[in-house]
């Protein structure tokens, strides 16, 4: 895990996020914290990760999400060599039965 992001400020942000109770509260908080483009970029990367796990091609992903091949490649690198954060969430959501719990 990247120790550069482990700061008191990031801990405080995560603690704040953990207090949110439902999707509506998430919308309220994240609309204040992030720009529209930041939120859309994060959600796009998440969708790209799901589609890569669904074995979609880069072309299919780019056409459906509007993501660049550089973004798709970056997400693919995270899926293959990252901290398994995407798979942690996918497993908790019951997606992709063949992924093992991390």
């Amino acid at each position: 895990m990247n120790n550069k992001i482990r700061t008191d400020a990031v801990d405080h942000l995560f603690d704040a996020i953990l207090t949110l109770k439902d999707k509506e509260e998430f919308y309220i908080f994240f609309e204040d914290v992030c720009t529209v483009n930041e939120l859309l970029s994060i959600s796009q990367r998440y969708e790209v990760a799901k589609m890569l796990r669904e074995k979609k091609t880069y072309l299919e992903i780019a056409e459906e999400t509007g993501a660049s091949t550089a973004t798709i490649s970056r997400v693919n690198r995270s899926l293959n060599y990252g901290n398994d954060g995407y798979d942690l969430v996918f497993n908790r959501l019951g997606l992709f039965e063949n992924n093992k719990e991390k």
Side-chain angles (χ1 to χ4, degrees), residues 43-70:
S43 64
Q44 181 187 64
R45 288 192 295 272
Y46 178 79
E47 291 302 315
V48 166
K50 273 182 31 186
M51 294 177 78
L52 284 166
R53 281 292 184 246
E54 292 167 346
K55 307 293 187 205
K56 301 276 176 101
T57 67
Y58 276 34
L59 180 60
E60 290 171 315
I61 296 168
E63 287 176 351
E64 189 168 324
T65 67
S68 68
T69 55

Side-chain angles (χ1 to χ4, degrees), residues 4-88:
K4 291 180 184 179
I5 69 165
R6 288 187 172 263
T7 66
D8 287 342
V10 174
D11 279 348
H12 296 157
L13 173 64
F14 290 166
D15 288 340
I17 291 168
L18 287 169
T19 69
L20 301 173
K21 295 183 177 97
D22 56 33
K23 198 180 294 186
E24 187 58 32
E25 288 188 1
F26 274 80
Y27 273 103
I28 291 167
F29 181 74
F30 279 95
E31 283 182 42
D32 283 347
V33 172
C34 298
T35 66
V36 170
N37 285 338
E38 288 167 337
L39 268 174
L40 293 176
S41 291
I42 292 167
S43 64
Q44 181 187 64
R45 288 192 295 272
Y46 178 79
E47 291 302 315
V48 166
K50 273 182 31 186
M51 294 177 78
L52 284 166
R53 281 292 184 246
E54 292 167 346
K55 307 293 187 205
K56 301 276 176 101
T57 67
Y58 276 34
L59 180 60
E60 290 171 315
I61 296 168
E63 287 176 351
E64 189 168 324
T65 67
S68 68
T69 55
T71 295
I72 299 167
S73 180
R74 191 176 322 114
V75 172
N76 196 40
R77 226 177 1 263
S78 292
L79 286 170
N80 292 318
Y81 305 108
N83 295 309
D84 297 322
Y86 285 113
D87 288 327
L88 175 73

